[in-house]
């Protein structure tokens, strides 16, 4: 009988102990917008629905409180590596473990199969003496979720000094949604570990076939889901396809996920900062994410904003999972946005995989940034608009059966 195991090993390829200055540097980087980070921290930890309205975000915390808030966020970042069977997850993992990034990495592997092949592959690349913890049988996205939480908590509580980043490799058939939700919704876990990002490996040679596979009703297409939830997509095995095939695949992927950054690779070789330290769920990184080339204007934009003229807008959806991007000038009423999003997640929360936005809201000199996974939302004020800066709101949705017309209408209804 095929079994799946969840195991943990530590990378010893980088033995450098982190100096205190590294930590202060890390916090210094994330503290460029202290109020926002503090809001994010408070809301993330104390509300399941983390949306703060206009009246909530008047600056009300002292510098000391802000610093305290920031220093509390010393959670360990965790990266989820996902991707279809054979797409190159273990290859990327080995690349991470043998690269010089100065991080000590704890790896959790969820292997599905009678023989633990991936474990031996990883072991042969890292130096020696991995600590391996067998946890349970089952698939990470279903039966092992509780064990994943247990293992992660044990890891950070008992061995926190041994590593500074966690990488979780899922089985090729895992659905990332439930694993991501576990990070966001489990209070104990989200207090100790923060999801840094979901990295999805795509096999350039075979992905189109998997993405286009028509599944029976109510059966999830894992390949599509893995692309949909990604913060970063590694378009791997490009040595096996032509330019034309690659172009077609890229177009297909961008229709599913107009938010993720995409890099082409051979044997998983990508820069480490593309896969580690992504900050896919950090509000202070949302702006650069929604402005990234890939997320830009996937499905058109609102009127009064014409600098994307000439872009190719492909509106043909051959999958139930897609992206909708709204780019608009004008100012929004944040309370209206709050109501609209609340209705949306009540009605379609299950289908709303990811949401990221930067909004221009009335009565505020600051951008309002928000991000969400299904019904878990996180929002707070961001950077101040420049004196001559055009205030343009950007909102990207990824989900199943998204009603683009209704989304645009809902957005318009929030314009002042
Ligand atoms: N030609 C080519 N082969 C690759 C590339 N990347 C990985 N491979 C090979 O593809 C095979 C599968 O790679 P893995 O890293 O084991 O893939 P995986 O996603 O971990 O596989 P599963 O755990 O079975 O889901 C291995 O033989 C790799 O050497 C690539 O860029 N080009």
């Amino acid at each position: 009988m095929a079994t799946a195991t969840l195991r943990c090993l530590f990378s010893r390829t980088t033995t450098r102990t982190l100096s205190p200055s590294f930590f202060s540097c890390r916090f210094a980087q994330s503290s460029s917008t202290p109020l926002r980070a503090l809001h994010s921290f408070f809301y993330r930890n104390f509300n399941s629905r983390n949306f703060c309205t206009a009246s909530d975000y008047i600056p009300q915390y002292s510098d000391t409180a802000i610093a305290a808030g920031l220093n509390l966020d010393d959670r360990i970042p965790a990266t989820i590596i996902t991707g279809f069977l054979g797409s190159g997850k273990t290859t990327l993992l080995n690349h991470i473990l043998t690269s010089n990034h100065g991080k000590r990495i704890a790896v959790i592997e969820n292997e599905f199969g009678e023989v633990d092949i991936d474990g031996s592959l990883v072991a042969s690349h890292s130096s020696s003496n991995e600590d391996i913890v067998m946890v349970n049988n089952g698939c990470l996205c279903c039966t092992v979720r509780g064990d994943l939480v247990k293992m992660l908590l044990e890891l950070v509580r008992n061995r926190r000094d041994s590593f500074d980043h966690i990488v979780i490799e899922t089985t090729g058939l895992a659905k990332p949604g439930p694993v991501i939700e576990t990070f966001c919704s489990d209070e104990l876990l989200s207090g100790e570990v923060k999801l840094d990002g979901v990295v999805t490996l795509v096999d350039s040679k075979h992905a189109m076939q998997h993405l286009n596979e028509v599944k029976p009703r109510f059966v999830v297409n894992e390949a599509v889901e893995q692309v949909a939830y990604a913060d970063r997509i590694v378009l791997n095995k490009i040595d096996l396809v032509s330019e034309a095939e690659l172009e077609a695949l890229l177009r297909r992927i961008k229709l599913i996920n107009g938010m993720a950054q995409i890099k082409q690779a051979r044997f998983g070789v990508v820069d480490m900062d593309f896969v580690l330290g992504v900050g896919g769920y950090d509000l202070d990184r949302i702006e650069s994410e929604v402005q990234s080339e890939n997320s830009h204007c996937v499905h058109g934009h609102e009127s009064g904003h014409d600098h994307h003229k000439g872009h190719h807008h492909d509106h043909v959806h051959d999958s139930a999972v897609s992206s909708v991007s709204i780019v608009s000038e004008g100012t929004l009423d944040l309370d209206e946005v709050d109501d609209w999003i609340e209705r949306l997640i009540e009605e379609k929360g299950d289908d709303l995989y990811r949401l990221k936005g930067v909004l221009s809201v009335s009565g505020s000199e600051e951008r309002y940034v928000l991000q969400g996974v299904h019904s878990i939302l996180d929002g707070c004020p961001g950077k101040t608009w420049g004196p001559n800066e055009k205030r343009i709101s950007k909102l990207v949705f990824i989900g199943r059966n998204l009603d683009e017309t209704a989304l645009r209408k809902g957005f318009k209804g929030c314009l002042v």
Side-chain angles (χ1 to χ4, degrees):
M1 195 184 77
T3 59
T5 56
L6 191 60
R7 22 171 277 142
C8 172
L9 56 93
F10 290 90
S11 158
R12 309 247 167 133
T13 55
T14 48
T15 49
R16 187 169 79 84
T17 312
L18 293 179
S19 64
S21 62
F22 178 82
F23 279 101
S24 48
C25 161
R26 213 159 53 135
F27 287 124
Q29 279 171 356
S30 65
S31 68
S32 55
T33 49
L35 178 63
R36 180 173 42 195
L38 184 64
H39 266 279
S40 166
F41 175 77
F42 282 153
Y43 280 89
R44 185 169 43 231
N45 285 284
F46 300 118
N47 284 342
S48 62
R49 186 169 166 279
N50 300 306
F51 212 63
C52 54
T53 57
S55 54
D56 294 324
Y57 73 80
I58 310 296
Q60 56 191 293
Y61 303 107
S62 69
D63 287 348
T64 319
I66 288 166
L70 283 172
N71 285 332
L72 283 171
D73 193 2
D74 58 352
R75 296 171 300 157
I76 298 279
T79 299
I80 297 172
I81 297 182
T82 185
F84 209 72
L85 293 166
S87 55
K89 297 178 294 295
T90 307
T91 306
L92 172 67
L93 182 57
N94 283 327
H95 176 53
I96 292 173
L97 293 177
T98 52
S99 291
N100 191 12
H101 41 64
K103 288 183 169 68
R104 293 159 309 152
I105 294 179
V107 178
I108 293 178
E109 275 202 273
N110 182 207
E111 179 64 14
F112 199 84
E114 279 185 49
V115 187
D116 184 8
I117 297 167
D118 279 0
S120 51
L121 283 178
V122 171
S124 71
H125 279 71
S126 56
S127 52
S128 63
N129 297 331
E130 291 79 9
D131 294 282
I132 299 172
V133 185
M134 307 292 279
V135 177
N136 208 338
N137 293 332
C139 175
L140 191 57
C141 64
C142 343
T143 50
V144 191
R145 261 203 292 169
D147 297 300
L148 175 67
V149 172
K150 207 169 127 213
M151 172 186 267
L152 285 165
L153 287 175
E154 274 172 18
L155 257 181
V156 287
R157 284 171 184 170
N158 301 332
R159 314 199 53 165
R160 196 185 176 111
D161 292 341
S162 322
F163 62 93
D164 23 67
H165 200 107
I166 299 167
V167 175
I168 300 163
E169 183 192 350
T170 66
T171 73
L173 293 174
K175 291 171 282 172
V179 185
I180 296 167
E181 280 185 278
T182 303
F183 275 93
C184 301
S185 59
D186 188 287
E187 273 185 41
L188 280 177
L189 183 63
S190 61
E192 305 276 3
V193 181
K194 69 171 175 182
L195 184 55
D196 180 49
V198 177
V199 178
T200 297
L201 269 290
V202 170
D203 174 345
S204 302
K205 180 78 181 162
H206 301 105
M208 194 65 106
Q209 176 194 337
H210 299 307
L211 293 173
N212 289 339
E213 194 178 330
V214 179
K215 298 275 184 177
R217 215 164 158 228
F218 305 123
V219 176
V220 161
N221 181 328
E222 294 93 353
V224 172
E225 301 271 310
Q226 290 161 353
V227 167
Y229 280 102
D231 294 288
R232 298 285 186 269
I233 293 173
V234 179
L235 204 50
N236 197 33
K237 303 194 180 186
I238 58 165
D239 52 306
L240 302 180
V241 290
S242 66
E243 277 292 319
E245 285 173 299
L246 209 53
E247 274 299 311
L249 182 59
L250 259 174
R251 273 201 303 277
R252 180 79 174 85
I253 287 172
K254 285 182 183 179
L255 281 179
I256 298 169
N257 185 336
M259 222 186 267
Q261 290 183 31
I262 305 172
K263 279 238 156 84
Q264 301 177 12
R266 291 178 177 78
F267 291 92
V269 176
V270 287
D271 290 345
M272 282 303 102
D273 59 5
F274 185 69
V275 288
L276 300 181
V278 165
Y281 294 77
D282 290 351
L283 285 173
D284 47 1
R285 303 275 287 272
I286 297 300
E287 183 151 17
S288 56
E289 293 291 311
V290 296
Q291 275 177 342
S292 77
E293 198 194 331
N294 293 320
S295 70
H296 225 70
C297 210
V298 176
H299 290 94
H301 43 76
E302 300 301 311
S303 58
H305 168 55
D306 63 0
H307 60 253
H308 301 302
K309 267 185 187 157
H311 275 208
H312 171 66
H313 288 174
D314 192 345
H315 288 260
V316 179
H317 289 183
D318 52 355
S319 155
V321 180
S322 65
S323 301
V324 172
S325 295
I326 299 174
V327 181
S328 172
E329 286 181 19
T331 321
L332 296 149
D333 182 320
L334 189 56
D335 290 327
E336 292 287 339
V337 175
D338 193 12
D339 287 346
W340 170 48
I341 302 276
E342 183 173 314
R343 280 197 308 277
L344 201 63
I345 60 177
E346 259 169 34
E347 288 164 18
K348 295 195 179 298
D350 285 352
D351 285 345
L352 199 56
Y353 295 1
R354 291 289 277 130
L355 157 67
K356 284 186 187 180
V358 175
L359 306 178
S360 163
V361 295
S362 64
S364 172
E365 292 306 307
E366 295 160 322
R367 292 155 167 79
Y368 192 88
V369 289
L370 69 156
Q371 69 99 13
V373 181
H374 293 282
S375 55
I376 301 162
L377 283 173
D378 201 1
C380 70
K383 222 166 60 186
T384 307
W385 296 101
N388 300 316
E389 193 176 2
K390 235 182 192 173
R391 295 188 178 201
I392 293 172
S393 298
K394 293 170 187 160
L395 201 49
V396 188
F397 299 89
I398 299 176
R400 174 180 294 277
N401 301 323
L402 293 181
D403 182 343
E404 183 171 350
T405 311
L407 287 173
R408 291 186 182 284
K409 199 172 157 209
F411 180 89
K412 268 189 180 153
C414 303
L415 285 168
V416 193

